[in-house]
Amino acid sequence: MDQTPNLQLPYIAPSQAQKHVTHNEAIRALDALVQLCVVSRTLTEPPAEPRDGWHAWIIAETSLAVFSQGQWTDCRPATNPVDRVGIHAQADDTNRLCVKSPASLFDHAGSGHQLKINKAGDQQLASILFQSDYQGRVEIGTIWNRNFSIKASIDGKDWRDIMLADSSSGAVQFPGGIVQPRTGKKLSGLIFLPDGGGTAVLEPATGSAVCASVSADLLSLKGKAAAGIFASSMRGSAMIRIWNTAKSPAQSAWVKWDTAAEQLQVSNPAHIRSWAAGDAIQTSDPANQTIALDLSPLMQKQLGGAFPQDGVLLGNSAGGDVTLSCPMVSPVSSSNLLIFKAEERRRYTVIGIYG
């Protein structure tokens, strides 16, 4: 270190030649910085006969000058860095600035004031954390990405996203939904499919078949009966729950028909691990005679992601549009299930999703 930490006065180095130069430089700086007094507050021009050590504040340049050795020179005092600052509180290595006060004021100097919170990169944290008894309750900011978000927690450990604002598109999401203030009931909006629902077709129907073979996540049926279980029009739009009634109690699995062969593909191979050739398969729930569909493939493809929808708006040529609620959570995706009666025979197009 060759300068003092606060006023940055030069030290005399060991065995230094011309020691008086360094010493005099420090003395002049000290004389310019301490024990000052005001000579005039009204001068608009530099004084005619200034003395060494006089200071002048230049309004036009918002800078401080000092008269030394026959000329005015800029006086730019260095900052006074400290490791911690505590005001009625004890600062520490994490909270290096700590204030305990009924209120804090960041006032303007001019027309306004801007508070800046900077982070090293988009994948870092820049936020404001609201606490209760030193436990986090609400956090707002750009939290581990570049998007603005609001999170809330009941215990400071488990957090829920309240609002997400995409920085590139400006689109805002409310993952928990919006409720009606008087009833507390969740509000739901209709999201129309981009193609108007023309390509999203559902044909729930009671079907049955006999298992021919089981291989990993593929289920082959005898007599090329896959179309009777899973209508070809639903490819890419849904998964359907099938039941193995040869087991007691009946076992279920979720399947789709996206393979070229006459095979059904299950979402989880573990669900059919005990199944064997000759087992009887059907689409209707043997307990309540219903057919369950999972629309997560459709939502992924047309809406960019699956979510727990409140309902689905369906159209059919025979009886007009119909809205079905979806209160049951899917066990195989983040969407909710669409339930039909086992005797259903109509062909539907999906117009929109409520969510």
Side-chain angles (χ1 to χ4, degrees):
M1 181 182 293
D2 55 3
Q3 291 179 321
T4 60
N6 292 331
L7 300 180
Q8 295 191 348
L9 304 177
Y11 286 131
I12 297 175
S15 304
Q16 176 183 321
Q18 300 284 316
K19 291 182 175 62
H20 65 284
V21 175
T22 302
H23 176 72
N24 291 342
E25 180 184 345
I27 292 298
R28 279 195 299 272
L30 192 64
D31 185 66
L33 291 171
V34 301
Q35 299 292 342
L36 302 178
C37 62
V38 177
V39 175
S40 174
R41 297 170 58 92
T42 60
L43 290 180
T44 58
E45 298 291 336
E49 298 181 354
R51 292 169 48 186
D52 274 5
W54 277 17
H55 287 60
W57 178 254
I58 305 173
I59 296 176
E61 300 176 5
T62 61
S63 64
L64 184 68
V66 62
F67 192 77
S68 177
Q69 297 181 331
Q71 62 181 356
W72 291 97
T73 57
D74 287 340
C75 180
R76 302 183 184 276
T79 57
N80 183 17
V82 293
D83 292 333
R84 305 172 186 172
V85 175
I87 302 176
H88 289 288
Q90 183 67 46
D92 55 36
D93 288 340
T94 301
N95 304 292
R96 297 182 185 182
L97 173 62
C98 191
V99 179
K100 181 175 287 188
S101 169
S104 301
L105 173 65
F106 295 85
D107 206 350
H108 69 87
S111 58
H113 180 85
Q114 186 179 61
L115 179 65
K116 298 181 178 68
I117 301 178
N118 183 55
K119 61 182 183 179
D122 286 338
Q123 304 306 314
Q124 303 301 320
L125 174 68
S127 68
I128 300 175
L129 179 65
F130 297 89
Q131 295 182 317
S132 176
D133 195 24
Y134 302 103
Q135 287 188 339
R137 290 293 180 263
V138 175
E139 187 173 14
I140 64 174
T142 53
I143 303 171
W144 308 115
N145 53 48
R146 64 173 61 190
N147 301 322
F148 180 78
S149 63
I150 302 177
K151 298 176 181 288
S153 173
I154 195 171
D155 57 7
K157 298 177 182 178
D158 296 324
W159 291 84
R160 294 180 178 271
D161 289 321
I162 304 301
M163 188 200 78
L164 302 171
D166 188 282
S167 62
S168 58
S169 67
V172 178
Q173 302 176 39
F174 296 91
I178 301 174
V179 299
Q180 212 284 337
R182 291 186 178 180
T183 64
K185 299 295 185 180
K186 183 179 177 182
L187 300 178
S188 183
L190 178 61
I191 307 169
F192 287 98
L193 297 190
D195 66 356
T199 61
V201 176
L202 302 179
E203 292 187 74
T206 299
S208 60
V210 176
C211 180
S213 65
V214 177
S215 177
D217 64 342
L218 296 177
L219 187 67
S220 299
L221 304 178
K222 290 183 178 181
K224 296 185 177 181
I229 295 290
F230 194 104
S232 59
S233 59
M234 295 199 302
R235 284 185 172 183
S237 295
M239 292 186 288
I240 190 169
R241 180 164 55 192
I242 61 173
W243 295 88
N244 186 332
T245 56
K247 306 296 181 182
S248 181
Q251 296 178 0
S252 66
W254 289 88
V255 299
K256 58 183 178 178
W257 186 18
D258 289 340
T259 62
E262 289 285 326
Q263 295 174 314
L264 298 178
Q265 186 176 20
V266 300
S267 63
N268 187 342
H271 293 166
I272 61 171
R273 190 167 294 153
S274 64
W275 295 16
D279 287 352
I281 307 298
Q282 66 183 52
T283 56
S284 61
D285 187 335
N288 54 34
Q289 300 304 304
T290 57
I291 300 171
L293 299 182
D294 180 300
L295 300 185
S296 60
L298 171 66
M299 297 167 72
Q300 290 282 357
K301 183 169 62 175
Q302 296 216 25
L303 301 179
F307 54 88
Q309 80 278 14
D310 298 313
V312 179
L313 178 61
L314 303 175
N316 72 91
S317 57
D321 298 344
V322 59
T323 297
L324 296 182
S325 64
C326 302
M328 189 179 300
V329 176
S330 171
V332 290
S333 77
S334 55
S335 67
N336 287 345
L337 297 181
L338 187 58
I339 306 296
F340 294 91
K341 293 181 179 179
E343 61 266 23
E344 184 62 66
R345 291 295 184 273
R346 285 177 291 184
R347 186 177 191 267
Y348 296 96
T349 58
V350 182
I351 300 173
I353 307 289
Y354 288 95

